[in-house]
Amino acid sequence: MTRDSNKDKSANSMWGGRFATGPDAIMTAINASISFDQRLYAQDIAGSRAHAAMLAAQGIISPEDATAIRTGLLTILSEIEAGQFPFSDALEDIHLNIEARLTERIGEAGKRLHTGRSRNDQVAVDFRLWVRDQCDAAIAGLTALMQAFLAQAEAGADWIMPGFTHLQTAQPVTWGHHMLAYVEMLARDRGRFEDARRRMNECPLGAAALAGTGFPIDRHATAAALGFDRPTANSLDSVSDRDFALEFLSASAICATHLSRFAEELVIWSTAQFRFVKLSDKWTTGSSIMPQKKNPDAAELLRAKIGRILGATVALFTVMKGLPLTYSKDMQEDKEQVFDAADTLMLALAAMTGMVSDMTAQKDTLRAAAASGFSTATDLADWLVRALGLPFREAHHVTGRLVALAEQKGCDLPDLSLAELTSAHPGITQEVYSVLGVDNSVRSRVSYGGTAPDQVKAQVTRWKAALGQG
Ligand code: ARG
C-alpha cells in the first residue's frame, strides 16, 4: 500500500460534508478499529435497537422508521453471524459499519437512527455491555474453580501435608486447609468482579457527544431496556469514563496472580523431588526426546498468563492517565487490551478448573513429607510453655538446641530419646512425645480458621452452603 493510494478516494460518506478528499491510506490504517471492534456488534445492535425504540416512543422518529430500523438491524445481526457482513476499513469502526449498512438496506430511515446520539456515547455503552458480560463470565468461571478446589478440600480435609513459609517446612497442615486457602482467594476475586459489575451498571447512552442533547430523549428508558440500573448522571463523565475497563483489568490481574501462585505450587509439587500431586495426562505433555518426561505445561502457562493480563492493565492505565475530558481517540486503544485480557482470563480459569479437578494428591507422600523437616518444633516449644511454664522465648531456645541435635544425628524430633530430650531441659517428660507427631499437631490447631481437620470440615460445610451445594 503506497502512501498516496487513497488520494483520490472521495471523502467519508458518513461525515464527508466538509472534507475535500479522503484520508491517506496510512491514516485509514492507524485510524480504523473495525478489525477488532467488530467484536462489539451484538452490543452495538442492542444499543441501537434500544435507542431507536426510545426515539419512536418519544415521538422523535416515526413508528414506521423505528420498525424499519429494528428489522434492518436484525437482518444485519444475522448477516454478521453468518459471516456475510461486508466490513469496511473506510468506515472505521463497528458503529459506522452497521449504520452505513442499515441505510444501504432500509434507506432514509437508517439515516435517522443517529438522532440525539454520538459515537462517543455509543462506544461507551457498547463497551460497557461487553465488559459487563465478561464480569458475568468471570464470576461463573471463578465459581466453577472454587467448586473444584472445594471438592479437593472435602476429599482431603484431614490429609496431612507440610505447610511452608519461605518454601521451607514450617508446620504440618491439612490438604483441605491448603485447598480452602484458594477458595478464599478466589472468593475475593469473585467479589471484585461483582463490585465492578455493580458499579459499571449505569448507562452512558444519551450523553451524546459530550454535553447531552436537545432532543427530548428518555435516558431512563434506554437504560432499563439495556439492563442497566440507571442512566449515568453526568454527560461529560459518561463519554470519558473507562473506569469499568480499568476495574475489570485490575480484578483480572489480581485473579491471574492467584492462578499463577497455584500454578507454581503445582509445578513444584509435581516434580520427582516433591511428588505431592499427580497431574492428569489431560493437562501435561511429553518430551520429544526424554521418554520419561511428563511436563506440567498447562500449569506453567497459567503461571505465565498474568504477564499478559497485567500488561494489558498497565497499557490501559497508561492510555487513560493525563487525558483531558472528555472523549479522545486515544481511548480507542482500550479494546484490544481488554479483549485479550478477558480471553486470557476465561481460558485460564477453565484450564485451572480442569487441572484442579483432575489432579490426585499423593496422600502418603504428603504425610511423610509433613513428618520430616522438624515440622513439629513449634508444638514442642508450645508444650514447654504449657507443661513446664517456660517463657516462650526460652522454650524456643531449648527447642532450637534439640533441632540442632536431631539434625546432627540425622533424625527427626520424635526419634530423639528421652535422655537426649532432657539434656536440653531436665523438666521434659515422656508426655512430650504426644505433641511431636503430626496428627496431634494438626489436631491441636483448633483456633478459628486454623488447620485442624474439624475446623477445615466446618469451613467446607460453610463453603458448600455458600456455593449452593449444601
Ligand atoms: N472507534 C471509536 C472508539 O473506539 C468510537 C468513537 C469514535 N468517536 C469519535 N468521535 N471519533 O473509541
Side-chain angles (χ1 to χ4, degrees):
M1 172 161 61
T2 68
R3 236 186 68 81
D4 284 337
S5 65
N6 259 20
K7 245 218 172 115
D8 26 271
K9 280 241 179 97
S10 54
N12 189 294
S13 58
M14 308 301 281
W15 64 64
R18 84 187 293 277
F19 287 75
T21 170
D24 189 286
I26 294 173
M27 172 58 183
T28 302
I30 194 174
N31 195 40
S33 53
I34 188 61
S35 64
F36 50 88
D37 71 11
Q38 50 182 269
R39 271 186 90 161
L40 300 176
Y41 73 89
Q43 290 74 17
D44 196 73
I45 288 171
S48 288
R49 284 182 58 184
H51 184 66
M54 178 279 292
L55 290 177
Q58 296 297 104
I60 302 168
I61 62 172
S62 70
E64 296 73 34
D65 283 350
T67 306
I69 290 171
R70 199 182 82 89
T71 320
L73 287 171
L74 288 174
T75 315
I76 289 172
L77 183 65
S78 359
E79 208 173 30
I80 295 176
E81 283 176 346
Q84 283 160 356
F85 186 91
F87 288 113
S88 148
D89 271 2
L91 289 165
E92 276 194 43
D93 56 26
I94 187 65
H95 324 296
L96 294 184
N97 267 268
I98 290 180
E99 194 191 322
R101 183 73 177 153
L102 183 66
T103 300
E104 213 171 278
R105 300 196 74 106
I106 68 167
E108 279 296 304
K111 295 188 186 168
R112 298 190 199 282
L113 171 60
H114 213 51
T115 314
R117 96 178 168 181
S118 149
R119 275 191 296 159
N120 296 348
D121 59 338
Q122 206 181 343
V123 71
V125 74
D126 291 5
F127 200 32
R128 255 186 220 237
L129 288 169
W130 195 89
V131 175
R132 192 177 72 180
D133 282 350
Q134 296 302 307
C135 286
D136 290 338
I139 290 164
L142 279 162
T143 304
L145 181 53
M146 288 165 75
Q147 280 160 346
F149 272 112
L150 186 57
Q152 286 284 351
E154 189 174 25
D158 55 3
W159 298 350
I160 293 170
M161 68 178 282
F164 298 94
T165 59
H166 313 266
L167 197 55
Q168 306 281 327
T169 300
Q171 294 172 353
V173 297
T174 47
W175 172 259
H177 200 47
H178 199 111
M179 295 298 107
L180 286 180
Y182 283 95
V183 175
E184 296 287 338
M185 292 151 84
L186 298 169
R188 290 194 296 275
D189 291 334
R190 206 171 61 159
R192 271 181 280 273
F193 286 109
E194 286 162 353
D195 289 348
R197 190 197 194 286
R198 206 172 303 125
R199 216 167 359 259
M200 75 179 65
N201 206 29
E202 295 186 343
C203 186
L205 188 61
L210 76 165
T213 175
F215 290 102
I217 60 169
D218 181 353
R219 294 194 57 211
H220 293 274
T222 43
L226 293 167
F228 288 103
D229 294 331
R230 64 192 78 85
T232 51
N234 182 296
S235 64
L236 303 177
D237 178 47
S238 306
V239 293
S240 76
D241 169 38
R242 291 295 179 272
D243 288 2
F244 60 94
L246 293 173
E247 280 197 58
F248 175 79
L249 289 172
S250 306
S252 300
I254 298 175
C255 176
T257 304
H258 292 154
L259 300 186
S260 180
R261 294 182 74 172
F262 189 63
E264 166 71 345
E265 296 200 309
L266 285 182
V267 170
I268 296 171
W269 290 356
S270 61
T271 58
Q273 288 70 29
F274 269 78
R275 293 185 199 278
F276 282 9
V277 291
K278 271 211 178 92
L279 296 176
S280 146
D281 287 359
K282 291 197 249 171
W283 303 100
T284 49
T285 62
S287 156
S288 57
I289 175 169
M290 297 167 281
Q292 87 283 11
K293 290 296 285 285
K294 206 170 169 188
N295 294 324
D297 290 32
E300 292 170 290
L301 289 163
L302 286 167
R303 188 171 56 182
K305 291 295 185 192
I306 172 62
R308 241 166 118 152
I309 292 176
L310 186 59
T313 309
V314 173
L316 188 56
F317 271 101
T318 312
V319 166
M320 294 307 298
K321 74 165 282 294
L323 281 187
L325 301 189
T326 56
Y327 178 84
S328 298
K329 196 62 171 264
D330 309 48
M331 288 156 68
Q332 180 166 286
E333 292 288 313
D334 56 2
K335 286 167 218 60
E336 287 160 291
Q337 303 300 338
V338 174
F339 290 160
D340 188 67
D343 292 345
T344 303
L345 183 73
M346 303 318 154
L347 182 60
L349 287 171
M352 188 59 101
T353 303
M355 213 165 31
V356 170
S357 305
D358 293 344
M359 72 185 181
T360 320
Q362 303 300 292
K363 196 180 162 189
D364 298 338
T365 315
L366 287 168
R367 192 191 160 81
S372 71
F374 317 111
S375 65
T376 53
T378 315
D379 300 87
L380 172 54
D382 287 350
W383 183 86
L384 293 170
V385 170
R386 268 197 322 269
L388 306 185
L390 261 57
F392 183 78
R393 268 299 142 233
E394 199 179 323
H396 187 286
H397 205 75
V398 170
T399 307
R401 284 211 300 278
L402 289 170
V403 168
L405 176 63
E407 192 168 41
Q408 188 196 325
K409 288 193 62 192
C411 67
D412 270 302
L413 287 174
D415 307 321
L416 293 174
S417 68
L418 189 58
E420 285 164 333
L421 292 172
T422 49
S423 73
H425 193 284
I428 296 180
T429 66
Q430 186 70 32
E431 190 200 304
V432 76
Y433 286 103
S434 70
V435 303
L436 296 182
V438 290
D439 295 287
N440 285 330
S441 173
V442 296
R443 236 181 279 132
S444 73
R445 304 269 191 262
V446 290
S447 53
Y448 181 79
T451 201
D454 286 347
Q455 282 294 323
V456 172
K457 284 170 190 160
Q459 295 292 340
V460 165
T461 305
R462 178 174 74 85
W463 275 117
K464 280 176 82 169
L467 294 178
Q469 301 178 308

